[in-house]
């Protein structure tokens, strides 16, 4: 369980799934704090362990003029302030090995993006920080093949590793979720997470802006809990249409509590 990796996490004794949630990218301090406050209130209400998510920089963008961030140090300090203000762990993604030590000074969990999950130097650098390492499964890989990514982190002296499914490539412009992957990755004895928003992306659009199907977030999340996912990853924003990144597949923040309430009932039904 994630509580074994992050013993200070709020609601750590809960039998509920845990939640990684927040905006796709850190857009500024005020909006990050507002989003975090809303989610903390919801997760406290339902006794769900919570990790605030926000990318300090977006390196994988379709177009060169796409938003990438407000500045590395500035965004990392926002993540740090969120964690200190609300007493919750924070997670951000890194893209190159030299970023690991820098980001580790500000956050509790380092996330490896799906496209980079086979990058040995990146995984080793993340592991050597001693932080929790959350590896997203590549859209091009089977669940079983993620054992090698887990081994790279553990063989580097860090047993605090999680895996996140975010769907598989289905043609050029769509993804599909194979729910067999959840129990397959849980068999590696690591917390396994379902990314309920990125798994609904529609990449490689002719406009250069990734599309999505946010109306199906509830479907993805319910199915993930039903097959035993330990945690959920959800990007959420109070105004997805005007979010700086990935607005097409984010959950509107106003819908989060209703979704969580339903998911708690699903979890209770399978325990």
């Amino acid at each position: 369980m994630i509580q074994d990796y992050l013993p200070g996490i709020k609601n750590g004794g809960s039998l509920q799934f845990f939640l990684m949630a927040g905006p796709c990218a850190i857009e500024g301090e005020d909006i990050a704090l507002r989003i975090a406050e809303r989610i903390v209130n919801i997760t406290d209400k339902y006794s769900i362990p919570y990790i605030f998510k926000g990318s300090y920089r977006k390196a994988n963008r379709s177009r060169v003029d796409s938003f990438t961030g407000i500045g590395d140090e500035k965004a990392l300090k926002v993540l740090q302030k969120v964690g200190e203000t609300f007493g919750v762990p924070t997670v951000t993604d890194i893209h190159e090995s030299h970023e690991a030590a820098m980001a580790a000074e500000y956050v509790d969990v380092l996330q490896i993006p799906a496209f980079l999950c086979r990058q040995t130097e990146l995984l080793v650098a993340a592991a050597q920080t001693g932080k929790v390492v959350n590896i997203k499964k590549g859209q091009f890989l089977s669940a079983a093949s993620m054992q090698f990514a887990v081994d790279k982190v553990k063989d580097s002296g860090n047993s605090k590793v999680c895996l996140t499914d975010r769907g598989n490539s289905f043609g050029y412009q769509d993804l599909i979720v194979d729910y067999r992957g959840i129990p397959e990755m849980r068999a590696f004895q690591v917390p396994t997470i379902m990314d309920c928003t990125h798994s609904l992306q529609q990449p490689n659009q002719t406009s250069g802006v990734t599309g999505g199907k946010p109306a199906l977030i509830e479907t993805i999340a319910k199915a993930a809990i039903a097959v035993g996912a330990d945690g959920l990853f959800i990007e959420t924003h109070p105004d997805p249409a005007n979010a700086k990144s990935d607005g097409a597949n984010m959950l509107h923040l106003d819908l989060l509590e209703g979704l969580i309430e339903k998911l708690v009932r699903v979890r209770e039904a399978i325990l």
Side-chain angles (χ1 to χ4, degrees):
M1 292 296 291
I2 198 69
Q3 293 91 333
D4 297 330
Y5 297 170
L6 298 166
I9 194 170
K10 295 173 72 174
N11 307 311
S14 172
L15 293 176
Q16 285 293 351
F17 56 89
F18 65 90
L19 180 67
M20 287 185 174
C24 178
I26 296 298
E27 301 175 4
E29 180 179 302
D30 180 64
I31 190 168
L33 290 170
R34 285 192 286 118
I35 293 171
E37 183 176 24
R38 287 279 299 277
I39 304 175
V40 166
N41 288 338
I42 295 167
T43 52
D44 281 354
K45 179 178 178 179
Y46 293 96
S47 299
I48 294 171
Y50 174 51
I51 303 165
F52 177 84
K53 183 270 168 186
S55 296
Y56 77 91
R57 172 155 42 92
K58 301 300 296 182
N60 177 17
R61 309 296 284 143
S62 297
R63 300 186 339 199
V64 73
D65 60 345
S66 297
F67 174 82
T68 57
I70 61 174
D72 292 356
E73 186 177 13
K74 185 176 180 180
L76 286 166
K77 286 183 176 179
V78 170
L79 285 160
Q80 184 179 50
K81 184 166 184 177
V82 168
E84 292 173 349
T85 301
F86 299 105
V88 296
T90 55
V91 55
T92 198
D93 32 354
I94 58 173
H95 316 91
E96 297 184 61
S97 55
H98 67 82
E99 297 176 31
M102 174 185 68
E105 294 182 16
Y106 298 91
V107 301
D108 304 281
V109 182
L110 298 178
Q111 183 166 280
I112 308 301
F115 282 128
L116 302 177
C117 68
R118 285 175 53 89
Q119 297 297 103
T120 300
E121 286 188 6
L122 181 61
L123 289 165
V124 171
Q128 289 175 343
T129 67
K131 298 289 184 175
V132 179
V133 181
N134 179 34
I135 311 170
K136 285 198 168 183
K137 184 187 77 64
Q139 302 93 319
F140 46 89
L141 291 175
S142 68
S145 66
M146 292 304 292
Q147 175 71 68
F148 302 108
V150 171
D151 290 344
K152 289 176 182 179
V153 175
K154 290 186 174 182
D155 290 348
S156 300
N158 187 342
S159 62
K160 298 181 291 187
V161 56
C162 307
L163 291 175
T164 296
D165 195 340
R166 51 99 74 231
N168 289 72
S169 295
F170 189 67
Y172 291 117
Q173 295 179 318
D174 208 356
L175 298 168
I176 191 167
V177 177
D178 180 354
Y179 284 97
R180 295 174 298 179
I182 298 294
E184 286 178 3
M185 291 193 293
R186 290 189 82 228
F188 305 150
Q189 302 299 307
V190 299
T192 301
I193 304 159
M194 184 72 233
D195 184 338
C196 304
T197 44
H198 288 98
S199 60
L200 290 166
Q201 281 185 332
Q202 293 180 304
N204 305 318
Q205 299 298 306
T206 55
S207 64
V209 178
T210 298
K213 296 181 178 180
L216 293 174
I217 291 171
E218 181 176 320
T219 300
I220 296 292
K222 284 179 175 177
I225 294 299
V227 299
D230 300 293
L232 298 177
F233 178 106
I234 298 175
E235 289 189 340
T236 183
H237 194 281
D239 185 11
N242 290 300
K244 300 290 188 181
S245 176
D246 279 2
N249 55 269
M250 276 201 279
L251 180 72
H252 196 293
L253 188 56
D254 289 345
L255 301 176
L256 182 62
E257 182 169 359
L259 174 61
I260 293 298
E261 183 179 7
K262 293 176 182 177
L263 297 174
V264 166
R265 294 204 300 269
V266 173
R267 177 73 169 183
E268 290 172 348
I270 66 171
L271 287 178

